[in-house]
Amino acid sequence: MKQLVLSMIAYAVQRDIDAAQLCKLAGIDLPALKKKTATPVTAQQLQDLWLNASRLSNDPLFGLHFAESLQPAALGIVGEIIQSSATAGEALTHAAALTHLVTDQCRMELTRTNKTFTVRLIPATDYGATPPYAFRQLIDLLLVMVIHELDGLLLEKIAPSAVRLAYTVPDLPEYERVFRCRPSKRAGEYVLVFDIKYWDEPLLTANYELQNLLLQKVSTLTNTTAQPQTLQLRIYNYLLANSYLGVSSLDDMAANFNISPRSLQRKLKEEGVKYQDVADAVRRSLAVYYISSGNYPLKDISYMLGYNELSAFTRAFKRWTGSTPVSYQSL
């Protein structure tokens, strides 16, 4: 989130806003924010930052226009992983798996059919049809970035066939221009729908070796939120970054964190999850990535994810996605 806040301030400067004044109004210490050990920006500071940037620029759609201009580099390592992906589908798969490194306000899910794929943001808090200003800006930001972050990385301009938002947009023509599609209002939904043809569009910046190094680096990232990093998130990051070693067992993971398997299970239970839930979330992300890449036979994918039998992997994959690996592969 720190990198995103700095990018927002940099964009405000391009809009002739004084960075020091903007940060002062938002209660943010700009020199301190630039340091590696900066205190995380609070929810109230972020809200004030959005509001004052909009006021000082005289642009009620500041967040929408900021998102339109944003480059993947603004997302730090997540942006680098997106850029180094082989295809648009692979890039979005990684983006969905790593959204928690950008914000804890929502998560991203991907679903596919034989004709379309859908990007869905699921908020941590249901605000109904009147979300707070900063949250609405964040939703606009993430959805617009899905569309615009691949600009210049593909030989085709990506555009959704449908956009659904839970709130009424203040300027429909401008939203339609930026989203490249006319948004519609639907309760509880923050959704982009794309033609399946975009899924396998190759990225010009694909670099598998770099991406593998970046995924390993994810596990070394420090927590950027005000609250201590949850155990489930630490485990998820570790499993994802070390996926080339396979998905660790409960006993191996407990040994890695220097606690007993029973203690690890108990701590996860306090967070409302089981170790199997976290491991399956990683397996699902990796399975979709491996299948989408087209570089691995299903039997090898099954083995890499720790399944001794292809039939067991097939059952698990159908539980995660609603389709079998063979059906998903043929989409």
Side-chain angles (χ1 to χ4, degrees), residues 13 37 64-65 75 78 97-98 108 120 151 163 191 206 226 247 271 281 296 302-303:
V13 171
T37 57
L64 192 73
H65 296 141
L75 297 179
V78 177
L98 299 172
M108 182 185 294
R120 184 183 307 274
D151 285 354
V163 177
V191 169
V247 179
E271 296 181 8
Y296 307 91
S302 173
Y303 177 76

Side-chain angles (χ1 to χ4, degrees), residues 38-112:
T39 301
V41 173
T42 67
Q44 186 60 55
Q45 287 174 323
L46 188 59
Q47 173 88 356
D48 291 342
L49 189 65
W50 281 115
L51 287 169
N52 284 289
S54 179
R55 181 176 63 84
L56 293 174
S57 64
N58 196 30
D59 180 6
L61 301 181
F62 179 88
L64 192 73
H65 296 141
F66 166 51
E68 183 182 24
S69 72
L70 210 54
Q71 298 297 313
L75 297 179
I77 193 171
V78 177
E80 294 180 72
I81 290 171
I82 289 170
Q83 288 180 298
S84 61
S85 297
T87 64
E90 182 184 313
L92 290 172
T93 298
H94 283 301
L98 299 172
T99 301
H100 64 278
L101 295 179
V102 178
T103 178
D104 60 357
Q105 297 298 300
C106 62
R107 59 189 175 88
M108 182 185 294
E109 282 191 355
L110 296 177
T111 55
R112 287 203 299 173

Side-chain angles (χ1 to χ4, degrees), residues 11 35 37 66 71 105 112 118 120 135 137 139-140 149 158 192 206 214 304 307 312 320:
Y11 176 70
K35 297 178 181 178
T37 57
F66 166 51
Q71 298 297 313
Q105 297 298 300
R112 287 203 299 173
T118 299
R120 184 183 307 274
F135 181 77
Q137 299 302 309
I139 292 294
D140 284 351
E149 70 187 357
I158 189 169
L192 299 173
L214 292 170
M304 287 189 291
Y307 294 94
W320 300 330

Side-chain angles (χ1 to χ4, degrees), residues 125-198:
T125 302
D126 182 7
Y127 294 110
T130 56
Y133 182 79
F135 181 77
R136 197 186 78 196
Q137 299 302 309
L138 175 66
I139 292 294
D140 284 351
L141 174 78
L142 294 175
L143 291 180
V144 171
M145 277 205 69
V146 169
I147 301 168
H148 289 266
E149 70 187 357
L150 300 180
D151 285 354
L153 305 182
L154 300 172
L155 295 178
E156 184 174 354
K157 200 178 251 189
I158 189 169
S161 54
V163 177
R164 298 194 290 270
L165 300 171
Y167 45 82
T168 301
V169 300
D171 186 340
L172 187 56
E174 185 63 359
Y175 267 77
E176 184 174 1
R177 182 190 70 78
V178 175
F179 275 95
R180 299 172 182 165
C181 178
R182 191 176 184 85
S184 61
K185 182 179 178 181
R186 184 175 295 182
E189 289 210 344
Y190 303 102
V191 169
L192 299 173
V193 181
F194 295 93
D195 190 297
I196 196 65
K197 69 179 181 180
Y198 294 120

